[in-house]
mmCIF file of all heavy atoms in Angstrom:
data_model
loop_
_atom_site.group_PDB
_atom_site.id
_atom_site.type_symbol
_atom_site.label_atom_id
_atom_site.label_comp_id
_atom_site.label_asym_id
_atom_site.label_seq_id
_atom_site.Cartn_x
_atom_site.Cartn_y
_atom_site.Cartn_z
ATOM 1 N N ALA A 124 -52.727 169.868 56.677
ATOM 2 C CA ALA A 124 -53.682 170.827 56.129
ATOM 3 C C ALA A 124 -53.875 172.009 57.061
ATOM 4 O O ALA A 124 -53.485 172.002 58.223
ATOM 5 C CB ALA A 124 -55.024 170.125 55.883
ATOM 6 N N ALA A 125 -54.519 173.043 56.523
ATOM 7 C CA ALA A 125 -54.789 174.243 57.314
ATOM 8 C C ALA A 125 -55.856 173.963 58.350
ATOM 9 O O ALA A 125 -56.649 173.030 58.250
ATOM 10 C CB ALA A 125 -55.219 175.367 56.392
ATOM 11 N N THR A 126 -55.908 174.788 59.362
ATOM 12 C CA THR A 126 -56.896 174.639 60.414
ATOM 13 C C THR A 126 -58.104 175.523 60.141
ATOM 14 O O THR A 126 -58.005 176.534 59.450
ATOM 15 C CB THR A 126 -56.284 175.016 61.781
ATOM 16 O OG1 THR A 126 -57.268 174.849 62.791
ATOM 17 C CG2 THR A 126 -55.800 176.467 61.789
ATOM 18 N N ASP A 127 -59.243 175.128 60.666
ATOM 19 C CA ASP A 127 -60.439 175.973 60.564
ATOM 20 C C ASP A 127 -60.722 176.670 61.898
ATOM 21 O O ASP A 127 -61.785 177.229 62.105
ATOM 22 C CB ASP A 127 -61.656 175.142 60.128
ATOM 23 C CG ASP A 127 -61.905 173.958 61.066
ATOM 24 O OD1 ASP A 127 -61.178 173.828 62.072
ATOM 25 O OD2 ASP A 127 -62.827 173.169 60.783
ATOM 26 N N ARG A 128 -59.745 176.636 62.788
ATOM 27 C CA ARG A 128 -59.918 177.242 64.101
ATOM 28 C C ARG A 128 -59.954 178.769 63.990
ATOM 29 O O ARG A 128 -59.225 179.375 63.211
ATOM 30 C CB ARG A 128 -58.764 176.818 65.011
ATOM 31 C CG ARG A 128 -58.853 177.387 66.413
ATOM 32 C CD ARG A 128 -57.730 176.878 67.276
ATOM 33 N NE ARG A 128 -57.637 175.420 67.221
ATOM 34 C CZ ARG A 128 -56.960 174.695 68.092
ATOM 35 N NH1 ARG A 128 -56.309 175.268 69.078
ATOM 36 N NH2 ARG A 128 -56.912 173.391 67.978
ATOM 37 N N VAL A 129 -60.808 179.381 64.795
ATOM 38 C CA VAL A 129 -60.857 180.838 64.879
ATOM 39 C C VAL A 129 -59.879 181.280 65.966
ATOM 40 O O VAL A 129 -59.972 180.843 67.117
ATOM 41 C CB VAL A 129 -62.278 181.336 65.206
ATOM 42 C CG1 VAL A 129 -62.278 182.855 65.376
ATOM 43 C CG2 VAL A 129 -63.252 180.919 64.109
ATOM 44 N N ILE A 130 -58.930 182.122 65.596
ATOM 45 C CA ILE A 130 -57.876 182.559 66.520
ATOM 46 C C ILE A 130 -58.016 184.054 66.747
ATOM 47 O O ILE A 130 -58.037 184.837 65.788
ATOM 48 C CB ILE A 130 -56.479 182.239 65.947
ATOM 49 C CG1 ILE A 130 -56.338 180.724 65.692
ATOM 50 C CG2 ILE A 130 -55.382 182.725 66.890
ATOM 51 C CD1 ILE A 130 -55.101 180.351 64.899
ATOM 52 N N ASP A 131 -58.143 184.437 68.005
ATOM 53 C CA ASP A 131 -58.188 185.866 68.327
ATOM 54 C C ASP A 131 -56.888 186.511 67.882
ATOM 55 O O ASP A 131 -55.797 185.989 68.128
ATOM 56 C CB ASP A 131 -58.382 186.071 69.833
ATOM 57 C CG ASP A 131 -59.762 185.633 70.300
ATOM 58 O OD1 ASP A 131 -60.683 185.628 69.468
ATOM 59 O OD2 ASP A 131 -59.900 185.289 71.490
ATOM 60 N N ARG A 132 -56.989 187.675 67.260
ATOM 61 C CA ARG A 132 -55.805 188.309 66.696
ATOM 62 C C ARG A 132 -55.210 189.352 67.639
ATOM 63 O O ARG A 132 -55.913 190.191 68.192
ATOM 64 C CB ARG A 132 -56.137 188.967 65.359
ATOM 65 C CG ARG A 132 -56.333 187.971 64.233
ATOM 66 C CD ARG A 132 -56.556 188.674 62.909
ATOM 67 N NE ARG A 132 -57.748 189.526 62.968
ATOM 68 C CZ ARG A 132 -57.716 190.850 63.012
ATOM 69 N NH1 ARG A 132 -56.551 191.485 63.001
ATOM 70 N NH2 ARG A 132 -58.824 191.553 63.055
ATOM 71 N N ASN A 133 -53.926 189.247 67.806
ATOM 72 C CA ASN A 133 -53.127 190.271 68.472
ATOM 73 C C ASN A 133 -51.703 190.102 67.959
ATOM 74 O O ASN A 133 -50.797 189.737 68.709
ATOM 75 C CB ASN A 133 -53.195 190.119 69.996
ATOM 76 C CG ASN A 133 -52.402 191.204 70.706
ATOM 77 O OD1 ASN A 133 -52.097 192.251 70.136
ATOM 78 N ND2 ASN A 133 -52.030 190.944 71.955
ATOM 79 N N PRO A 134 -51.499 190.336 66.658
ATOM 80 C CA PRO A 134 -50.194 190.026 66.058
ATOM 81 C C PRO A 134 -49.107 190.953 66.558
ATOM 82 O O PRO A 134 -49.362 192.034 67.088
ATOM 83 C CB PRO A 134 -50.449 190.208 64.557
ATOM 84 C CG PRO A 134 -51.567 191.187 64.479
ATOM 85 C CD PRO A 134 -52.440 190.916 65.676
ATOM 86 N N ALA A 135 -47.878 190.521 66.359
ATOM 87 C CA ALA A 135 -46.724 191.330 66.762
ATOM 88 C C ALA A 135 -46.500 192.494 65.814
ATOM 89 O O ALA A 135 -45.782 193.437 66.149
ATOM 90 C CB ALA A 135 -45.470 190.454 66.832
ATOM 91 N N ILE A 136 -47.101 192.440 64.622
ATOM 92 C CA ILE A 136 -46.961 193.513 63.630
ATOM 93 C C ILE A 136 -48.210 194.385 63.638
ATOM 94 O O ILE A 136 -49.337 193.877 63.602
ATOM 95 C CB ILE A 136 -46.738 192.933 62.222
ATOM 96 C CG1 ILE A 136 -45.388 192.223 62.133
ATOM 97 C CG2 ILE A 136 -46.851 194.022 61.154
ATOM 98 C CD1 ILE A 136 -44.186 193.146 62.185
#
Side-chain angles (χ1 to χ4, degrees):
T126 180
D127 56 3
R128 180 177 309 196
V129 176
I130 301 169
D131 292 335
R132 286 184 300 107
N133 182 19
I136 293 290

